[in-house]
Amino acid sequence: MYEFDFVKPTTLADAIAALGAEEAQALGGGQTLIPTLKQRLAAPAVLVSLTGIGEMQGIELGEGQITIGGATPHAAVAAEVAAAYPALAALAGNIGDPAVRNRGTIGGSLANNDPSACYPAAALASGATIVTSNREIAADDYFEGMFTTALEDGELITAVRFPVPEAASYQKFEQPASRFALVGVFVAKYPEGVRVAVTGAAEDGVFRWSEAEVALSADFSPAALEGIDCPAEGMIADLHGTAAYRAHLVKVMTRRAVMAAAG
Amino acid sequence: MPKDHGIGASTKRREDVRFLTGAGRYTDDINLRGQAYVHFLRSDMAHGRITSIDTAAAAGMPGVIRIFTGADFEGIGGLPCGWQVTDKHGQPMQEPAHPVLAQGKVRHVGDPIAAVVAETREQARDAAEAIEVEIEELPAVIDMKAAVQEGAPKVHDDLTSNLCYDWGFVEENKAAVEEAFQKAAHVTTLELVNNRLVANPMEPRVAVGDYDRAGDESTLYTTSQNPHVIRLLMGAFVLGIPEHKLRVVAPDVGGGFGTKIFHYAEEAFCTFAAKAINRPVKWTASRSEAFISDAHGRDHVTTIQLALDAENNFTALRTETYANMGAYLSTFAPSVPTWLHGTLMAGNYKTPLIYVNVKAVFTNTVPVDAYRGAGRPEATFQLERVIDKAAMELGVDPIALRRQNFITEFPYATPVAVEYDTGDYHATMDKLVEMADLDGFAARRAESEARGKLRGLGVNCYIEACGIAPSNLVGQLGARAGLYESATVRVNATGGLVVMTGSHSHGQGHETSFPQVIAEMIGIDESMVEIVHGDTSKVPMGMGTYGSRSIAVGGSAMVRATEKIIKKAKTIAAHLMEAAEADIELKDGQFSVAGTDKSVAWGDVCLAAYVPHNYPLDEIEPGLEETAFYDPSNFTYPSGAYACEVEVDPDTGKVTVERFAAADDFGNIINPMIVTGQVHGGLAQGIGQALLEGAVYDENGQLLSASYMDYAMPRATDVPFYQVDHSCQTPCTHNPLGVKGCGEAGAIGSPPAVVNAVVDALRSGGSGITHIDMPLSPARVWAALQG
Amino acid sequence: MTQVSMTVNGQPATGEVEGRTLLVSFLRDQIGLTGTHVGCDTSQCGACVVHVDGKAVKSCTMLALEADGAEVSTIEGQANADGTLNVIQQAFQDHHGLQCGFCTPGMVMSAAALLKENPKPTEDEIRHYLEGNICRCTGYHNIVKAIMAASGQDVAVLAAE
C-alpha cells in the first residue's frame, strides 16, 4: 500500500468534511478497497473510515420497506432481515465468507459496484432507493456500468431503502475461484410487476432483464420463460466462461429464482 | 485391537500443540536484529530485451540501503539444474543460464530485474517503483508446439532452438512397438492436456539471509523441503561458499508439495545481499508474487495410443508428450517428464511393449518443475484415461479390462526399465469394489436422474515409484546428486535419544511417526525420542523430503543408525552383566542375558556409556552416537485403486464429487492416522486438478490466473468425506521397514477417476463425449454438453 | 505515525503505526504474536482470521487503526487458562485436523466463531462456513470432523475411512 492518512469520524458531517480533502476516499468495511490498495491500484491521500459513524449503522424494519444504514455489515443484514425480506437476508448471508461479512458493508458494495457483486442485483431488482448524503437516487438511475455509479465525489451512501416484495429469490452461480457471482439473478415480485436484475454477467455491470420481466409479470412461473433467451452480446467472456455460457446461466438462474420465489 | 504405541499406532501428533497455539516458528516469524527488507522488481512483460536500468532516483528514496541489478551478479554463478537428461540421439539437453537477477533479457512475467534493499518492506517497494527500466518487447512464445516450429522466437538466444531435449524411451523398443501397433486388433487414441498447476502451499516462500563477519559465515533461513540440497546448490554452484561456512535452516515449513524443493533466486539473493550490506536481509513473498515466481507443475500435452489384441489384452503403448519447462530449467525440471514419467507408463499392467517420446520445450512462462506426484500423475492420467476410452470403444467393463491386464507376478520387470518388487492389484481392486458400493451405483444414479442430474462413476488404478534412488542408478540417468538419506542418532546419558535426520517435515508429522519406529526398536516410550531436522548445522547431511521418500529412505537410515546404537549398547550391557555379547537380548527397554534373570535397563547402559567408570574401554569408545547413510537398492512401488462418483448439473455444467473411495497398498504403515491424512490431502489436490485448478497464460504471456481470484483452490465445499483404506499391504522387500511411501498417492490416483466419472455421467445423459480436458470447470462441461 | 491501543488476548497492546499498517502486521511485527499468518493478498485464504470484538475478521484486510480500542483475540489466546488445549484445539489434534499448521490458526479461529453462532453445525454448515479458509494439506476431511467433534457430535460413524 502507498502511505495515506487515516481518519475515523464519528458523525456523518465530519465524514463529509473529511472527504473534502484532496484525494480523500471513503473506507467502508474495506473488503474490496484494502486488497485494491495492497495491489497499489489506488493511492488515496486520506482514508475516511465510515465504521465509527453510528447514524450510518443499523436496520429499520418499516411498513412494507426496510432501511439499511450504509455502513451496516452484511452479517447484520443476514441476521436481521431474515424474517422481513428472506431473499435479501440470504443474499447478504452468502457474500464472500463469514469474516468478510463481518466487515463488508452494503454502502461499500453499492458504491464500488463491482460487476460481480451481489448487492447491486438486490438493489436493482428491488427498485431500492439509494439514500446519500445529498439526495435520494432510484436504483434504476444509480448503476452506470462496471465500477461506475451516479455518486459524485464526496457523496456517501447513508442508507438503502428496500421496498419489500411479495416474493423474491436470489440465485448465484459462483465463479469457481473468487466465489463472486459468475452470474447472479435476483427476481422480485411486486404488485406493480416483476423485476429481474442480473449481476456478474455483463460487461456493463448489473442490468435488468426486461424481456423476462414482461413475461414473468404476466405469469410468475418458470414456464413463462420458455422461448425467451438472454442475448450473449455484451456478456463478459473470460477464463471462467464464454459470453454464451453466461447468457445461458442468466436464464437458468432466473428460472431457479422464480421456482424458489414461487415455491 | 489397534496398537496404542510404536509402529502401527495412530499416535497423536506432538507438533500439533505448537501449531494449535500459535507457537509454530515459520521462516517469516524469524526477525533478526538490524534486518533489512528486499523487494524484487519483476518483469511485467513475458519476453523482452533490457535496454537500460536507471536506479538513481530510486536510490535516493527514503530508507533505501542498496539497489542490486543483474550487473551485481556478473561473474557469480547462475541457478543450477540438478538433472541432465540425454536425448534420443545421445546428446545432452540444452541447458541455458539462469541468472539470479535478469541479465540482458527478461523471459517470463515475474522474472526479477532488480532488487531494492531498504529499511522497511514498504520503502523497498516504494523505491522499486521508482526504478526506470526500459525493455524492448519481444514476441513471446507460450504455446509449446508453436515454440518448436522453425522460426519461432527463441527464449534463449544462445540455444539452437526452444527444444530442451527430445527424449525416446526405450529407444530400442520403438520398432517393436510400431510392429505391435500394425498387428493390433484395436487401437485407442487419446489426445489430452495435463493442466498447468500452481502448488500453492499456504505459506508463501520466505528467505532471510544473515552474515557473520567474525566467522565469515553465512546463514539462510528459508522455506525449503531440503535445506541440505539448498546448501549444496547455492554454496557450490551460485555463491561459492564452502559448506562449512554456510548454514541453511528450514524451520517449520507451511507445506511444500514440491515447489519448495528447488533452489530459488531469492534465496541466493538474500544470502549474497546480507554479506554485501552486512545486515540481515529478508524477503517474504506475497501470494501474487508466488504465482509468478514459484515453479509451476504439470503442463503436458500428450497423444497416447493403446494397442489391444482380439482378446483385449494390451499389446503395446506409445505416447508423444510436449512438456513445458518454462523459461529456465528449475532444479529438477528435466527429470519430471522423463525418468519420473516414462518409467511409470506400464502402470499396473503387463503391456509388453512401450515407447515414450517427450519433447521438453522452453516457453516464456514461469519455470515448471515437480509438483506432488511429479511425472507420475501425468503418466497415470494418460494411461487410465486411454484404458477407459478403450473400454468404451470396445463395449467392455472398464474394471474387467483392467483386471484382465493386471500384473500378477512379482517381482515384475516392466518394459520401461523398472522392477516392481511387490503388489497385489486384484486385492486393492477387490477392496475398492467393496468400499465404493459399486452394486448400489445404479440406484444412486436413478435417484440423481429423478432430480434432473447426471451421475457418473469413474474407477482407475495407479502405481507410483517412491523414494527416488538408488544413487548409482540415478547417476546414470543424469541426476547430479546422490539420493541417499542420512541419520544420526545421539543417545544422551540419561537415556533420551535425539535423532537428526536429513528428511524434512513440512506437514508430514515426522516428529511423531519417526519416534514411533525408534521407540519400538528399543522398547522405550516414544516421548524419549526427539527428532531434529531442517538445520544443516545440526544434521550432518540430507537430501530432504520429496517423492514420498521420507519413511522409505530417511526412515531406513534412522533404522540403520539405531541398529548400530543397539549393537554398541549390547556390548556395553554385556560388559555390565559380565555376559557374552551374543547372549544379550533387548526387549521393552531392558537388556537381559538369555536364559538368566540378569538384566540391566536401557537408561543404565546409556549412563555407563557417558560415565564409563565400569566400561569396556579397551573394546569400545565411550559415548553412544551413530550415523548411518542409507541408499536404497530400488524405488518402492505403492499402488491402489480409486473410485469417484460425481453428479453433474446439466443446466450449469457444475460437477459435484459425491463419493470418493481410495484403496491403497503402502506396504507396512507406521502411523495410520497420518497416512490417511496424507491420502486425504492428495485427493483434494487431485480433485482440484481435475475440476478447479489451472494456470492459464494468454498469448502474450500474461498469467490470467494470477491470484486466488482466478486460480480456483479447492475449498471445504468442493470435496466430500473420503473413504480411505490401506489394509491391503504387500511390504516393500528391500527396505528394513517394508514401507513404500504415501505422500503423493492421492494426487496421482485421483484425477483420472474424476474425469472418468464425469465422462461416464455425460454419456449416461446421451452425450457421445469421450474426453474433456482438465480442469472440468462448469463452463467446459456445459460446452461439452452442447456438443 | 499514529498511536494505536487495543486489548489483545486480554492484555493491553499499544504501538505507533502508519495509516497503512494492517492489523495483522501490528500483531505479528509490532507485538510479536506470530501465530496469525498471511497466506494471500486477496482476502481469501483466512490464515489471518482473528476475532475483533468477538467477531471473526481477516486481519490482513483491516487496518490496525480500525481496531483502536477493540478487544482482539488471536490463536495465542485460545488455550485454556492452565495452558492445555481448548476443546476446539484438542479436537483438531485428536482428529488430525492439521498438517503443516499454517492455515491452522485461522481455521481454529473460524471454527470458534462458528460454534459460538451455531453450537451443533451440520457437515454442510461447517463446510459452508469455511468458505474463506483454505487448507492445502488436509483435504478438509479431518478439519470438518474435528469441528463436529468439538461441538460434541459423534464422529465415529460419520465417514467410513
Side-chain angles (χ1 to χ4, degrees):
Chain A
M1 284 188 269
Y2 296 109
E3 177 53 337
F4 50 78
D5 288 332
F6 174 86
V7 293
K8 192 170 178 178
T10 53
T11 67
L12 185 58
D14 287 350
I16 302 291
L19 283 167
E22 194 76 7
E23 297 295 326
Q25 188 170 352
L27 173 68
Q31 301 304 286
T32 301
L33 182 53
I34 290 176
T36 305
L37 293 170
K38 281 199 255 185
Q39 302 289 331
R40 296 195 166 204
L41 297 174
V46 184
L47 276 191
V48 181
S49 169
L50 307 178
T51 57
I53 303 170
E55 59 200 290
M56 286 179 69
Q57 297 267 356
I59 296 163
E60 193 186 308
L61 303 176
E63 192 62 40
Q65 70 172 30
I66 292 170
T67 308
I68 301 173
T72 308
H74 311 324
V77 176
E80 293 175 36
V81 309
Y85 194 166
L88 182 64
L91 174 145
N94 275 299
I95 297 172
D97 58 61
V100 166
R101 293 194 287 273
N102 283 332
R103 295 288 304 164
T105 65
I106 187 169
S109 173
L110 292 175
N112 188 47
N113 192 20
D114 186 300
S116 302
C118 296
Y119 262 131
L124 191 58
S126 304
T129 302
I130 316 298
V131 183
T132 78
S133 44
N134 304 356
R135 56 188 167 145
E136 296 196 351
I137 311 172
D140 284 319
D141 301 326
Y142 175 81
F143 299 102
E144 296 186 342
M146 193 181 276
F147 298 111
T148 314
T149 70
L151 289 179
E152 287 162 7
D153 280 352
E155 186 175 11
L156 287 174
I157 298 176
T158 56
V160 185
R161 213 159 54 225
F162 289 88
V164 177
E166 294 168 359
S169 173
Y170 178 63
Q171 297 289 319
K172 172 163 68 168
F173 191 80
E174 290 178 354
Q175 194 256 55
S178 68
R179 313 282 158 138
F180 276 64
L182 188 72
V183 167
V185 178
F186 201 111
V187 172
K189 182 173 183 291
Y190 289 92
E192 53 273 29
V194 174
R195 293 171 66 104
V196 178
V198 180
T199 187
E203 287 171 344
D204 289 337
V206 66
F207 70 96
R208 285 174 66 183
W209 186 18
S210 7
E211 212 180 345
E213 291 185 352
V214 171
L216 290 168
S217 295
D219 171 16
F220 193 64
S221 79
L225 295 166
E226 276 171 30
I228 302 177
D229 286 309
C230 181
E233 196 180 314
M235 293 285 157
I236 297 169
D238 60 16
L239 76 157
H240 305 291
T242 58
Y245 179 59
R246 280 187 168 83
H248 166 78
L249 284 179
V250 170
K251 181 163 173 178
V252 173
M253 293 298 122
T254 305
R255 192 169 60 226
R256 289 182 182 181
V258 172
M259 282 169 68
Chain B
M1 271 294 283
K3 288 178 73 172
D4 65 359
H5 68 281
I7 293 172
S10 284
T11 303
K12 288 178 200 172
R13 300 200 326 168
R14 59 176 75 174
E15 48 272 75
D16 288 358
V17 176
R18 69 175 185 273
F19 294 146
L20 283 161
T21 54
R25 191 165 197 245
Y26 299 86
T27 309
D28 194 42
D29 302 340
I30 294 169
N31 293 299
L32 304 177
R33 204 160 64 111
Q35 169 178 292
Y37 297 84
V38 59
H39 182 87
F40 291 94
L41 175 67
R42 296 179 184 277
S43 177
D44 57 8
M45 205 179 278
H47 195 191
R49 202 172 304 285
I50 301 169
T51 51
S52 73
I53 304 178
D54 183 352
T55 59
M61 302 266 292
V64 173
I65 297 163
R66 189 166 156 189
I67 299 174
F68 297 80
T69 66
D72 294 289
F73 285 83
E74 276 171 21
I76 290 169
L79 303 171
C81 179
W83 201 297
Q84 185 183 64
V85 165
T86 303
D87 76 5
K88 64 184 186 186
H89 307 297
Q91 296 302 308
M93 66 187 188
Q94 297 208 77
E95 191 171 354
H98 187 178
V100 174
L101 296 176
Q103 292 182 351
K105 272 175 80 170
V106 289
R107 296 185 176 86
H108 66 86
V109 170
D111 212 358
I113 299 167
V116 180
V117 179
E119 298 292 343
T120 73
R121 277 192 185 105
E122 295 290 354
Q123 285 173 336
R125 189 168 174 185
D126 290 342
E129 288 188 3
I131 297 175
E132 289 175 29
V133 183
E134 284 180 25
I135 300 178
E136 173 201 340
E137 188 161 9
L138 298 170
V141 280
I142 305 303
D143 179 77
M144 285 190 276
K145 290 182 181 174
V148 293
Q149 295 300 310
E150 197 66 34
K154 284 197 289 182
V155 178
H156 295 276
D157 301 345
D158 54 337
L159 303 186
T160 59
S161 71
N162 292 318
L163 186 67
C164 177
Y165 55 75
D166 185 352
W167 186 74
F169 184 66
V170 176
E171 200 60 27
E172 292 73 33
N173 291 352
K174 195 176 176 184
V177 169
E178 298 298 323
E179 197 183 323
F181 268 89
Q182 281 167 16
K183 289 184 188 160
H186 184 84
V187 173
T188 297
T189 302
L190 182 60
E191 290 181 32
L192 51 81
V193 172
N194 203 289
N195 41 329
R196 179 185 271 247
L197 302 177
V198 183
N200 273 306
M202 292 320 298
E203 177 201 32
R205 288 190 297 117
V206 181
V208 187
D210 190 21
Y211 178 68
D212 170 36
R213 275 197 301 173
D216 184 30
E217 286 172 350
S218 292
T219 300
L220 170 69
Y221 300 88
T222 182
T223 49
S224 176
Q225 299 175 216
N226 30 243
H228 291 87
V229 174
I230 304 307
R231 181 180 66 170
L232 174 70
L233 295 175
M234 183 175 79
F237 297 96
V238 188
L239 299 179
I241 306 173
E243 281 167 298
H244 58 276
K245 292 292 187 187
L246 176 59
R247 175 183 173 209
V248 178
V249 184
D252 287 330
V253 173
F257 313 114
T259 204
K260 290 178 182 168
I261 297 171
F262 323 122
H263 176 41
Y264 285 97
E266 296 86 357
E267 294 172 320
F269 177 84
C270 289
T271 309
F272 176 85
K275 184 173 180 179
I277 69 164
N278 196 28
R279 284 175 63 172
V281 174
K282 181 173 190 172
W283 171 72
T284 303
S286 67
R287 181 61 59 187
S288 300
E289 205 172 10
F291 270 97
I292 54 169
S293 68
D294 289 5
H296 293 180
R298 313 280 194 262
D299 206 352
H300 288 192
V301 175
T302 294
T303 303
I304 181 167
Q305 292 187 294
L306 176 66
L308 302 93
D309 67 15
E311 282 76 48
N312 297 340
N313 297 308
F314 303 162
T315 56
L317 184 77
R318 66 181 169 203
T319 70
E320 183 189 36
T321 288
Y322 288 81
N324 207 335
M325 295 287 103
Y328 302 99
L329 289 178
S330 175
T331 309
F332 290 114
S335 68
V336 174
T338 52
W339 299 108
L340 296 178
H341 162 251
T343 52
L344 269 296
M345 283 313 306
N348 309 55
Y349 312 101
K350 51 193 179 198
T351 317
L353 290 162
I354 297 174
Y355 179 72
V356 177
N357 173 247
V358 178
K359 297 173 181 72
V361 182
F362 294 110
T363 60
N364 292 113
T365 63
V366 171
V368 181
D369 204 330
Y371 165 61
R372 201 171 195 170
R376 292 152 289 175
E378 294 90 323
T380 304
F381 184 69
Q382 304 161 40
L383 184 60
E384 295 295 329
R385 282 292 301 127
V386 82
I387 292 172
D388 244 47
K389 189 171 181 225
M392 204 179 286
E393 289 171 356
L394 295 165
V396 299
D397 173 48
I399 296 177
L401 182 63
R402 287 180 168 85
R403 283 190 185 270
Q404 175 184 345
N405 286 283
F406 274 163
I407 294 161
T408 52
E409 288 174 15
F410 296 89
Y412 177 82
T414 73
V416 276
V418 291
E419 184 177 283
Y420 302 163
D421 57 344
T422 55
D424 185 347
Y425 307 147
H426 283 295
T428 45
M429 184 60 87
D430 291 345
K431 186 74 204 175
L432 181 80
V433 168
E434 174 199 324
M435 287 164 73
D437 182 28
L438 298 191
D439 292 343
F441 175 70
R444 293 192 293 274
R445 172 174 274 176
E447 191 276 327
S448 294
E449 285 172 352
R451 287 184 285 106
K453 302 289 199 288
L454 303 172
R455 199 174 186 100
L457 170 69
V459 170
N460 67 267
C461 301
Y462 77 89
I463 177 116
E464 61 168 319
C466 294
I468 179 165
S471 294
N472 52 14
L473 173 65
V474 298
Q476 289 172 34
L477 306 183
R480 287 164 169 163
L483 290 172
Y484 51 80
E485 193 47 89
S486 85
T488 295
V489 177
R490 175 178 298 161
V491 184
N492 292 322
T494 48
L497 285 81
V498 179
V499 180
M500 289 156 273
T501 169
S503 293
H504 186 274
S505 183
H506 33 280
Q508 296 89 340
H510 295 173
E511 291 170 42
T512 299
S513 56
F514 287 4
Q516 291 179 248
V517 175
I518 310 286
E520 172 140 332
M521 289 176 73
I522 300 172
I524 54 174
D525 196 86
E526 287 161 28
S527 64
M528 290 174 69
V529 185
E530 187 76 14
I531 301 297
V532 171
H533 68 93
D535 184 341
T536 63
S537 73
K538 294 181 179 167
V539 181
M541 192 54 192
M543 295 310 296
T545 290
Y546 44 83
S548 304
R549 72 197 302 270
S550 289
I551 196 67
V553 188
S556 296
M558 279 186 328
V559 168
R560 291 281 184 256
T562 307
E563 285 168 353
K564 292 185 189 178
I565 291 282
I566 291 171
K567 185 170 187 306
K568 183 170 179 180
K570 280 184 174 176
T571 309
I572 302 167
H575 174 85
L576 293 176
M577 293 187 284
E578 297 174 335
E581 203 179 316
D583 294 336
I584 303 297
E585 292 171 349
L586 172 61
K587 188 165 182 285
D588 296 336
Q590 292 284 325
F591 293 93
S592 56
V593 182
T596 75
D597 60 358
K598 278 206 276 191
S599 76
V600 56
W602 166 257
D604 294 329
V605 172
C606 300
L607 188 65
Y610 289 94
V611 187
H613 296 162
N614 174 14
Y615 191 87
L617 286 166
D618 49 340
E619 291 170 41
I620 49 172
E621 296 168 18
L624 202 47
E625 174 168 326
E626 298 287 351
T627 294
F629 281 65
Y630 178 81
D631 204 318
S633 59
N634 191 356
F635 293 90
T636 68
Y637 298 94
S639 62
Y642 285 10
C644 177
E645 236 174 271
V646 298
E647 199 171 80
V648 178
D649 180 346
D651 286 341
T652 62
K654 186 172 169 62
V655 177
T656 311
V657 177
E658 296 291 330
R659 295 167 66 98
F660 204 107
D664 296 291
D665 173 2
F666 295 134
N668 293 335
I669 304 267
I670 309 301
N671 183 319
M673 175 192 81
I674 288 175
V675 168
T676 303
Q678 289 292 307
V679 176
H680 288 166
L683 293 179
Q685 289 184 358
I687 292 168
Q689 169 164 27
L691 297 180
L692 296 163
E693 300 178 40
V696 180
Y697 281 92
D698 72 8
E699 68 276 13
N700 299 316
Q702 294 296 327
L703 183 62
L704 299 177
S705 49
S707 78
Y708 292 154
M709 294 297 281
D710 287 298
Y711 187 94
M713 291 286 280
R715 315 290 218 281
T717 48
D718 297 317
V719 291
F721 278 129
Y722 319 98
Q723 296 169 276
V724 174
D725 179 90
H726 28 72
S727 63
C728 299
Q729 298 181 355
T730 60
C732 172
T733 57
H734 57 78
N735 66 43
L737 291 166
V739 293
K740 291 186 171 181
C742 65
E744 297 162 294
I748 293 170
S750 53
V754 178
V755 178
N756 289 348
V758 175
V759 171
D760 182 56
L762 300 192
R763 289 176 71 88
S764 79
S767 165
I769 192 108
T770 57
H771 180 70
I772 310 177
D773 276 325
M774 303 185 289
L776 276 61
S777 62
R780 279 195 182 169
V781 172
W782 179 79
L785 275 169
Q786 307 315 299
Chain C
M1 299 289 255
T2 310
Q3 180 167 311
V4 65
S5 299
M6 60 189 87
T7 305
V8 181
N9 300 327
Q11 302 292 319
T14 301
E16 294 281 317
V17 296
E18 294 184 317
R20 62 180 166 181
T21 304
L22 295 166
L23 176 58
V24 68
S25 311
F26 177 76
L27 294 171
R28 287 180 56 81
D29 301 338
Q30 288 191 251
I31 63 172
L33 295 180
T34 55
T36 302
H37 297 152
V38 178
C40 79
D41 45 14
T42 50
S43 201
Q44 274 149 325
C45 82
C48 66
V49 170
V50 301
H51 296 182
V52 174
D53 292 331
K55 293 201 162 98
V57 304
K58 292 186 164 172
S59 62
C60 79
T61 314
M62 181 172 179
L63 300 175
L65 287 167
E66 286 277 32
D68 191 40
E71 297 266 350
V72 176
S73 52
T74 72
I75 189 67
E76 286 91 345
Q78 297 301 299
N80 297 324
D82 64 357
T84 56
L85 299 180
N86 76 10
V87 172
I88 296 170
Q89 291 168 318
Q90 189 60 56
F92 269 70
Q93 187 189 28
D94 290 347
H95 298 283
H96 192 27
L98 64 153
Q99 291 182 23
C100 81
F102 196 80
C103 77
T104 306
M107 285 287 179
V108 169
M109 298 308 288
S110 279
L114 167 62
L115 296 186
K116 201 159 74 173
E117 279 175 32
N118 182 353
K120 287 261 185 296
T122 63
E123 177 198 342
D124 278 352
E125 287 169 341
I126 294 169
R127 290 186 187 275
H128 191 67
Y129 199 89
L130 297 179
E131 195 68 30
N133 290 85
I134 301 177
C135 169
R136 193 56 154 168
C137 294
T138 64
Y140 302 102
H141 183 117
N142 287 337
I143 291 174
V144 177
K145 193 172 160 187
I147 296 172
M148 294 185 89
S151 67
Q153 304 183 65
D154 181 7
V155 294
V157 293
L158 270 193
E161 296 168 305

